[in-house]
Amino acid sequence: MSENIERRRFLKCLGASSLIIAPLGCSSVKEGESDANKPHYAMVFDQNKCTGCGDCKEACNLANNLPEGKSRLLMEQHSGGLEGQPCPHCGKTTECGCERKFVRVSCQQCKNAPCVTVCPTGAAHRDEKTGIVTMDAAKCAGCKYCIAACPYDARFINKETDVADNCDFCLNSKLAIGELPACVQKCRYDALIFGDINDPTSYISKLLRVKDSVRIKPGFGTEPSLRYIPIVKLGV
Amino acid sequence: MDGNIEFTMGLSQGLAWPWPIAVYLFFAGISGGALATALFIRFYKKQTTNTPFYKAAALIAFVTISLGMLCLVLDLTNPLFFWRILVYYNLNSVMSIGVIALSVYIPLVALICLYAFEEEIRSVPALKVLVPVIEKLQGIRRPCEIAVLVLALAVCAYTGFLISALIRFPIINTSVLPALFIASGMSAGAAAAKMLAVSMFKEDLHSQDMKLLHGAEWPIMFAEILFIFMIVTSLMTGNAGAQSAFEAFHTGQWAAVFWFGVVGLGFGGPLLLNFATGKAFSHSAKAFYLSGVCAITGMMCLRMFILYAGQIFAI
Ligand code: SF4
Ligand code: SF4
């Protein structure tokens, strides 16, 4: 249900903002400059809800026509127990699989994106309307500078096209037809929330107002747009 | 809140930049270094003839930068996409600026080669067509040489800036890297040009030029050692990320490359050959070539170490 409201609002925002922004599109916008009128799309990954089913990966693969089995995101499994110590749940010292946590690994959609800065051809760029970091595959020379520069190791070479690739919130596949990113649509547990955090009425803004979230390695100064709600363990 | 959630996996699967890039950095450093030293000497001593060292440096600069470009192109995911780097520019990107510098530098190096080998070209009938070209361009030789000197140093420094922009690698992301690459490029470039000058262009082992180079060698090496020492200490005393990268200097195979290749061969080799052996040997041709080879190998090891250990020990 939340998804439907979100989708409608998203469409409205996309339509309205493109009307406002489009005429400004030609004047060059400096990288990292913040503009309150522009949308700032962000994603929240709720670790409390993710079960690691991997549906998001599959949806990504399908939506973006990626090579067999490849997605723009990975799921990293973190085990709850400490290595070498018996598991607090079942007592086994070996891998027991109890209390699994998952972390979504994907492009963090940095506001201050090193991949965009270093790309010699401008193939890795920021979409003018939405501010989303995306690829212009026709310009990419395959130098892999962006891959080395991304502090999150979130880019890869698409073996079919021989050019670099990253998660762009399905900018050219789903968002282009007014839908939410494929992974967000597909998640059965509502662990992924997507929207414009510059819009105070969006669901994601409301959520972030009441929930604590963290960003990964904010010390790099890249200002990632992905937020994570960690599992917080109370007591032992 | 920091460190509450992390991930260690990556999507790129492996090192973004493997050995061809290290070889490219090596060749670009030698090219720029050799030419810069030759031009320094030319301006300093107000030479007007084509000295053996000048010829050797011009030849080396041209051959190495061409090979370097080859490495660079072959390392692209699809070498046929190379034209895109030449057509599209992003002036925020160090690589793009480097491409602009190189596309001026390479033709100018070719021109310097024409000047340097004027006599040889005149004596080969097949190359006679070039003679009027050289004569026409003789007038702008001086400005070209000045431009090449600047560009040669820029190319050396650029290879450093290129990789020091990679913020997640503490060993690579240091501001002294461009300076280190200029210094090590000059010492290896000078060594390569010296050897070629003696072996191919019949330069006397103890000529004026050689003496001058010999005198400059040690201060440059000292600067290199100093820059490396600065990187090591800043990692050792830096934040947690820097300290974990410091491990690269004492564990694993890349530590061996550093200690044996960079320190042992690159610095120890020439020092021992020159100061720890008898006068007769240290002035011999054998010692001259050996210490040249040591300097060049050391520089290659340095590039390999920085690129590999640097990328392995990420934050
Ligand atoms: S996470 Fe990496 S690929 Fe994504 S915007 Fe940041 S630097 Fe670019
Ligand atoms: S691999 Fe492509 S997108 Fe990445 S920096 Fe090179 S040209 Fe740009």
Side-chain angles (χ1 to χ4, degrees):
Chain A
M1 188 193 69
S2 62
E3 193 183 281
N4 268 329
I5 299 171
E6 187 58 23
R7 184 179 305 169
R8 231 175 292 139
R9 188 181 306 287
F10 173 73
L11 276 170
K12 254 201 289 183
C13 288
L14 200 65
S17 59
S18 60
L19 280 178
I20 304 167
I21 301 300
L24 301 174
C26 304
S27 63
S28 75
V29 175
K30 220 182 134 245
E31 164 80 343
E33 209 172 84
S34 68
D35 183 346
N37 291 324
K38 273 199 157 192
H40 177 189
Y41 291 108
M43 185 180 274
V44 172
F45 170 78
D46 191 340
Q47 199 174 32
N48 299 282
K49 292 182 179 168
C50 175
T51 63
C53 69
D55 282 355
C56 49
K57 274 173 74 173
E58 239 166 75
C60 174
N61 173 283
L62 276 178
N64 299 300
N65 296 317
L66 295 166
E68 184 66 20
K70 189 86 195 175
S71 311
R72 290 167 174 176
L73 65 104
L74 294 173
M75 275 294 163
E76 181 166 277
Q77 185 181 329
H78 288 193
S79 107
L82 286 173
E83 217 179 305
Q85 281 175 26
C87 169
H89 270 279
C90 61
K92 277 192 232 166
T93 39
T94 48
E95 241 181 77
C96 56
C98 291
E99 210 205 349
R100 276 171 285 179
K101 296 197 255 183
F102 296 89
V103 181
R104 178 201 165 91
V105 180
S106 68
C107 169
Q108 303 290 302
Q109 285 292 333
C110 311
K111 256 177 104 178
N112 176 17
C115 58
V116 173
T117 316
V118 303
C119 176
T121 62
H125 70 287
R126 190 175 290 287
D127 181 60
E128 278 186 358
K129 258 185 239 160
T130 58
I132 292 173
V133 174
T134 184
M135 279 294 297
D136 183 345
K139 280 186 175 178
C140 175
C143 67
K144 294 171 282 181
Y145 200 8
C146 57
I147 294 180
C150 167
Y152 299 97
D153 198 0
R155 306 188 127 243
F156 60 96
I157 293 291
N158 183 327
K159 286 274 180 293
E160 261 165 31
T161 55
D162 273 343
V163 301
D165 213 333
N166 71 309
C167 163
D168 57 2
F169 292 154
C170 286
L171 178 67
N172 300 312
S173 50
K174 296 292 178 186
L175 296 203
I177 52 170
E179 289 184 23
L180 285 169
C183 53
V184 178
Q185 287 189 41
K186 200 64 193 254
C187 182
R188 281 177 278 172
Y189 307 98
D190 276 339
L192 291 169
I193 297 99
F194 172 81
D196 176 11
I197 49 173
N198 271 358
D199 171 9
T201 61
S202 69
Y203 178 62
I204 194 168
S205 298
K206 289 177 188 159
L207 182 81
L208 288 173
R209 244 174 272 143
V210 294
K211 281 270 188 191
D212 279 333
S213 67
V214 293
R215 295 193 293 180
I216 286 174
K217 294 176 184 158
F220 281 129
T222 58
E223 299 192 52
S225 304
L226 246 74
R227 316 276 169 142
Y228 293 79
I229 300 179
I231 294 178
V232 180
K233 238 181 102 186
L234 297 170
V236 182
Chain B
M1 285 308 224
D2 204 19
N4 222 332
I5 215 166
E6 272 302 337
F7 58 73
T8 51
M9 275 173 127
L11 279 110
S12 71
Q13 293 166 340
L15 294 176
W17 278 351
W19 64 267
I21 300 294
V23 176
Y24 159 66
L25 300 176
F26 167 74
F27 279 139
I30 291 208
S31 175
L35 211 49
T37 11
L39 289 168
F40 267 136
I41 291 186
R42 187 176 176 81
F43 292 149
Y44 177 65
K45 294 181 66 187
K46 305 205 169 53
Q47 290 165 340
T48 48
T49 52
N50 291 323
T51 62
F53 186 71
Y54 182 86
K55 286 185 188 175
L59 189 61
I60 284 191
F62 187 69
V63 172
T64 50
I65 200 69
S66 311
L67 290 175
M69 284 294 119
L70 195 68
C71 283
L72 202 62
V73 173
L74 291 180
D75 190 59
L76 297 181
T77 52
N78 185 343
L80 294 179
F81 291 164
F82 185 63
W83 60 271
R84 291 179 177 171
I85 294 197
L86 299 172
V87 174
Y88 304 116
Y89 287 92
N90 166 16
L91 293 180
N92 288 325
S93 166
V94 187
M95 188 184 279
S96 219
I97 292 168
V99 168
I100 297 173
L102 282 168
S103 52
V104 182
Y105 174 74
I106 296 172
L108 281 180
V109 174
L111 186 59
I112 295 286
C113 280
L114 287 184
Y115 291 140
F117 294 101
E118 195 183 341
E119 280 164 52
E120 284 80 356
I121 291 171
R122 278 180 196 279
S123 63
V124 181
L127 297 173
K128 273 266 155 40
V129 282
L130 290 171
V131 175
V133 179
I134 299 176
E135 274 164 3
K136 250 208 201 99
L137 294 171
Q138 216 44 271
I140 54 161
R141 178 162 184 171
R142 185 75 181 185
C144 281
E145 283 178 339
I146 295 172
V148 167
L149 175 58
V150 175
L151 283 169
L153 290 174
V155 165
C156 281
Y158 149 71
T159 57
F161 282 117
L162 178 72
I163 62 173
S164 69
L166 309 178
I167 55 176
R168 88 181 124 126
F169 310 121
I171 296 178
I172 296 180
N173 176 26
T174 57
S175 46
V176 286
L177 205 63
L180 172 63
F181 276 19
I182 293 186
S184 78
M186 296 224 347
S187 68
K194 249 177 21 181
M195 290 196 286
L196 197 71
V198 170
S199 62
M200 203 167 147
F201 301 106
K202 308 278 171 301
E203 173 78 312
D204 176 25
L205 215 47
H206 306 292
S207 71
Q208 282 282 307
D209 279 2
M210 289 293 139
K211 283 226 178 73
L212 194 66
L213 280 170
H214 218 62
E217 223 162 57
W218 307 117
I220 294 179
M221 186 188 278
F222 180 72
E224 261 179 87
I225 295 175
L226 193 70
F227 292 143
I228 292 181
F229 183 72
M230 281 157 78
I231 294 178
V232 174
T233 41
S234 77
L235 290 176
M236 199 166 65
T237 57
N239 59 20
Q243 284 184 21
S244 75
F246 175 68
E247 267 182 45
F249 290 94
H250 58 80
T251 43
Q253 52 165 328
W254 292 107
V257 170
F258 178 77
W259 290 106
F260 290 110
V262 181
V263 178
L265 265 181
F267 300 140
L271 281 171
L272 284 180
L273 285 165
N274 281 280
F275 298 115
T277 52
K279 206 170 166 106
F281 182 74
S282 71
H283 281 95
S284 70
K286 216 189 245 161
F288 168 78
Y289 284 116
L290 261 179
S291 90
V293 169
C294 279
I296 295 172
T297 323
M299 174 198 171
M300 183 65 219
C301 289
L302 179 68
R303 302 293 198 268
M304 285 292 224
F305 172 79
I306 299 248
L307 206 68
Y308 274 95
Q311 286 184 89
I312 292 167
F313 290 86
I315 301 178

